[in-house]
Amino acid sequence: MTCIYFILEILMLILGFLSYKISSKQARCLFALVCILWTIVFGLRAYTVGNDTLGYAEFFMGKDSFYGNIKDSNLEFGFLLITKLIKVFTNSPTAYFSILASWLFLLIYKIYTRCCLQRDCFWCLLIVFTISNSFVTLMVATRQSMAFCVLLTGLYIALNKKLEKKMKLKVGLSLIVLSVFVHKSIIFLLFLLFVAYYVHLSKKQMYVMIGASFVISIFFLQDIGNLFNRIFIFSGTLGINDINENIMATYASSFGDFKQNFITLVAWAAPICLTIYLSDYEYVNSFMFRVMVISVCVFLLFNTTFLIERINTLLVLLGFTQYFPHNKKCNLKKFRPIYLLFILLILFKAGLRYEHWPKMDSSLPYYFYFEK
């Protein structure tokens, strides 16, 4: 099945339009349905879907794999702890992947229905899944995906104003710290989230950041990508020293959005600049909005650096809840067609990406576990 991802993305587009014809409560129910469908696709995939899936399936079953053996492994302590806890209840890798997928999309549902207007949830998640290859990281990179789940749970608790302060500090911060021990790349994420939380930016500073990143990406994109890929490969940072340089080159040069052109870069930068311009100061100066701006800059600068682009997935997932502008003093409905144009452009490029999916990435064709 080569078009399953695109079918779900088209469904999200249709439900996005439909959400304007129904109540907010009904829109929430439909968004929950979307999250359930993605959970099924993520959790019930065959072990041949995704370059990392078979290795983690064998690892979970206690077999010798690319990641070692669960009984004697040098992987991160937090990852082993959670994996062994799940293994107490099941020996099935499919159940393991389904639990992680359910955890992830429950958090996505909670965060998006809390941070977005109910009718924007479909659009925002659609953009996240089509503007880059985010869903591949979330589905296939099991350790990173688990680390994202732990970190998002911690952030959700820590930033939830309805919870008691003691619980927010003890449970929320403990989970945030634990996420580092699930996958070491979370250290980079925590640094960027720390900057987004404490460094307040003016609109002018946001324009400068995105503009400078855009210009650098045009003239020095491939040089930056090659430099960081080689640094990661040869230094063994984050436990990725076994990654084959040829595979890295494939992702950097031919994997859809990793070979950037001017239109793709504009599709990332222009809507965010428009959102900055149209939104009021209170909205622009929120934590999530600053996360979005940082995620765009990171993408523009490092989108040919496969591993950094993977790390940026969580920033995009969080930040793009603020994709559409908000201004208490102005009616912004007349600008919706402009955003729709960008969304259709991104969706069109996603369709082309599926048509030219690299053979070295086994996320396509897709099979359910009972098919293969």
Side-chain angles (χ1 to χ4, degrees):
M1 192 181 298
T2 59
C3 56
I4 188 167
Y5 309 129
F6 197 56
I7 289 173
L8 285 181
E9 288 162 359
I10 293 295
L11 176 63
M12 291 165 71
L13 178 73
I14 294 171
L15 293 179
F17 284 115
L18 179 62
S19 66
Y20 293 107
K21 304 294 184 180
I22 58 180
S23 68
S24 295
K25 184 177 181 180
Q26 290 173 320
R28 285 172 69 98
C29 291
L30 287 179
F31 187 66
L33 174 62
V34 166
C35 291
I36 290 170
L37 292 175
W38 277 110
T39 298
I40 292 171
V41 170
F42 277 36
L44 302 186
R45 68 187 187 275
Y47 303 156
T48 57
V49 176
N51 293 351
D52 299 346
T53 303
L54 180 59
Y56 283 115
E58 292 175 339
F59 178 84
F60 186 77
M61 289 187 289
K63 299 178 180 180
D64 291 329
S65 69
F66 177 81
Y67 303 101
N69 191 299
I70 193 171
K71 299 173 183 176
D72 183 23
S73 176
N74 294 321
L75 294 179
E76 292 90 343
F77 164 77
F79 171 74
L80 292 173
L81 177 66
I82 297 172
T83 298
K84 289 179 179 179
L85 179 62
I86 296 174
K87 193 170 175 61
V88 171
F89 301 97
T90 179
N91 288 315
S92 168
T94 297
Y96 175 54
F97 295 140
S98 296
I99 289 169
L100 295 179
S102 300
W103 187 4
L104 174 66
F105 280 98
L106 175 62
L107 288 166
I108 289 175
Y109 174 80
K110 289 284 188 180
I111 291 169
Y112 272 63
T113 53
R114 187 178 183 86
C115 296
C116 305
L117 294 176
Q118 303 305 319
R119 293 171 176 81
D120 287 346
C121 292
F122 303 96
W123 301 104
C124 291
L125 190 61
L126 173 62
I127 294 161
V128 170
F129 276 31
T130 54
I131 201 168
S132 68
N133 302 297
S134 301
F135 72 89
V136 175
T137 296
L138 295 172
M139 179 174 69
V140 174
T142 302
R143 273 156 57 224
Q144 277 186 311
S145 185
M146 183 188 290
F148 290 167
C149 288
V150 176
L151 178 57
L152 285 174
T153 304
L155 287 173
Y156 183 80
I157 293 173
L159 299 177
N160 194 329
K161 296 179 180 179
K162 296 181 180 179
L163 299 177
E164 294 182 5
K165 189 173 182 180
K166 287 184 178 180
M167 181 182 180
K168 290 163 63 174
L169 289 174
K170 290 181 180 179
V171 180
L173 293 181
S174 295
L175 288 171
I176 291 171
V177 172
L178 176 62
S179 67
V180 176
F181 296 96
V182 178
H183 198 282
K184 285 176 271 189
S185 65
I186 298 298
I187 295 172
F188 290 98
L189 276 173
L190 289 180
F191 171 74
L192 293 173
L193 290 171
F194 180 87
V195 171
Y197 190 80
Y198 287 104
V199 179
H200 291 238
L201 301 168
S202 66
K203 286 189 175 185
K204 183 177 180 180
Q205 289 171 324
M206 291 179 180
Y207 290 137
V208 171
M209 286 173 60
I210 294 174
S213 300
F214 184 85
V215 172
I216 292 172
S217 68
I218 292 174
F219 293 103
F220 304 106
L221 185 64
Q222 203 61 48
D223 294 331
I224 294 173
N226 291 337
L227 173 63
F228 276 86
N229 283 338
R230 288 194 176 95
I231 289 174
F232 282 132
I233 291 167
F234 291 114
S235 69
T237 303
L238 305 180
I240 57 171
N241 50 304
D242 291 320
I243 289 181
N244 186 287
E245 187 171 5
N246 292 328
I247 294 178
M248 297 292 290
T250 298
Y251 277 109
S253 64
S254 64
F255 188 51
D257 276 11
F258 288 100
K259 185 176 183 181
Q260 296 303 327
N261 54 41
F262 184 78
I263 295 176
T264 302
L265 298 176
V266 169
W268 272 81
I272 308 306
C273 288
L274 180 61
T275 298
I276 295 170
Y277 174 75
L278 295 174
S279 299
D280 56 37
Y281 178 77
E282 182 181 354
Y283 185 70
V284 168
N285 206 35
S286 66
F287 167 63
M288 287 293 201
F289 197 96
R290 294 195 293 271
V291 169
M292 178 176 68
V293 171
I294 291 174
S295 72
V296 171
C297 293
V298 170
F299 180 86
L300 291 174
L301 290 171
F302 301 110
N303 55 72
T304 57
T305 307
F306 175 59
L307 294 167
I308 294 182
E309 212 284 329
R310 265 193 172 193
I311 293 168
N312 194 41
T313 295
L314 185 69
L315 297 180
V316 175
L317 187 64
L318 285 174
F320 275 53
T321 57
Q322 312 298 298
Y323 188 82
F324 295 104
H326 179 75
N327 195 315
K328 295 177 181 178
K329 298 180 181 179
C330 303
N331 187 343
L332 301 175
K333 287 184 178 180
K334 62 182 179 182
F335 294 98
R336 284 278 170 165
I338 299 175
Y339 286 92
L340 177 60
L341 180 63
F342 280 115
I343 292 170
L344 293 176
L345 173 63
I346 293 167
L347 189 61
F348 173 74
K349 287 185 67 65
L352 293 179
R353 184 169 66 236
Y354 299 134
E355 287 293 322
H356 300 89
W357 201 266
K359 294 180 180 179
M360 296 182 72
D361 189 296
S362 60
S363 299
L364 282 176
Y366 180 91
Y367 300 97
F368 287 102
Y369 78 96
F370 50 78
E371 293 182 297
K372 195 170 184 179

